[in-house]
């Protein structure tokens, strides 16, 4: 899989990863849980490594930890999760629980979710990074109403990562946040790349563009992901799924030539 550099370190990161919201919130013994090892197989087989989770995703952290630890040797996944609570001690407790559930002594990326009490948690995260417990520090948000605050944080605070919504039909981040992240040397993780699902439902009623195969795309989902990769500020995209076939298809979007300016214009005209 192609990679892009994390600006703060130069480390290469595969451009397609895995989001675990909903798709990994299942208990052992269920049919949905039984499919999840295949999702990880597809991710790793394609050369991917990024797995993003959160304490707010139900059983997802526990599930990721169980499935990774069941493999021998344990895969070298790039583990990202979040802290979303107020207060220093509450944040430490929540993050300690994430380490326990993910069954790891080191988390690659810890993100302050929705900027909740971000100044308090940032101090803790810097201490954890210095101690080697985490490797990178990031912030996230989903609401354009918070983008002014996010811009302010990016301008005055050294960070490694920004995680933000970005999709063909959700391009508010293009206006200021993505250019600013590139200017400030902050890696960008894109979530909800299919617009929460509504985008693909709308596009599925349309014929695929005649040039899709030339771009190495067989599905609308792949075209939607390839659109995001046109933006040089984007480091990694984390479509969520609990389906091995979809994981393989998502990962395949990283291959083939990039979309041309004409192809991008045609895609945007459809949404």
């Amino acid at each position: 899989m192609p990679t892009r550099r994390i600006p703060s370190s130069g480390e290469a990161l595969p451009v397609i990863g895995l989001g675990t919201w909903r798709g990994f919130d299942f208990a052992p013994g269920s049919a949905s849980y039984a499919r999840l090892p295949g999702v990880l197989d597809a991710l790793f087989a394609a050369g991917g490594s990024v797995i993003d989770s959160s304490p707010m995703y139900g059983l997802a952290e526990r599930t990721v930890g169980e499935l990774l630890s069941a493999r021998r040797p344990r895969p070298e996944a790039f583990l990202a999760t979040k802290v979303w609570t107020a207060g220093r001690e509450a944040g430490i407790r929540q993050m300690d629980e994430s380490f326990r559930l993910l069954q790891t002594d080191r988390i690659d990326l810890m993100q302050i979710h929705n900027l909740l009490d971000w100044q308090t948690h940032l101090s803790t995260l810097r201490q954890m990074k210095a101690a080697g417990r985490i490797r990178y520090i990031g912030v996230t948000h989903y609401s354009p109403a918070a983008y002014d605050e996010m811009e302010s944080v990016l301008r005055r605070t050294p960070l490694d990562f920004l995680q933000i919504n970005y999709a063909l039909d959700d391009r508010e981040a293009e206006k200021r946040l993505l250019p600013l992240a590139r200017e400030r040397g902050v890696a960008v993780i894109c979530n909800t790349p299919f617009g929460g699902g509504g985008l693909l439902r709308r596009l599925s009623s349309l014929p695929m563009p005649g040039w899709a195969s030339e771009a190495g795309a067989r599905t609308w989902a792949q075209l939607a992901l390839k659109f995001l990769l046109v933006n040089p500020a984007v480091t990694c995209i984390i479509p969520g799924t609990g389906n091995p076939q979809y994981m393989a298809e998502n990962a395949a979007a990283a291959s083939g030539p990039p979309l041309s300016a004409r192809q991008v214009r045609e895609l945007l005209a459809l949404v």
Side-chain angles (χ1 to χ4, degrees), residues 31 49 55 67 80 89 113 128 167 172-173 175 185 224 237 240 253 258 266 271:
S49 65
L67 295 179
E89 296 305 320
H113 192 46
M128 293 172 68
E172 184 68 23
K175 295 179 180 177
I237 310 168
E266 289 189 18
V271 297

Side-chain angles (χ1 to χ4, degrees), residues 18 23-24 31-46 71 218 240-252:
L18 169 65
F24 274 61
S32 296
Y33 186 98
R35 295 195 304 175
L36 298 181
V39 176
L40 296 184
D41 288 340
L43 172 69
F44 297 136
R71 295 165 179 253
R218 296 182 293 104
T241 186
N243 184 311
Q245 177 184 342
Y246 291 161
M247 182 68 253
E249 290 178 359
N250 292 339

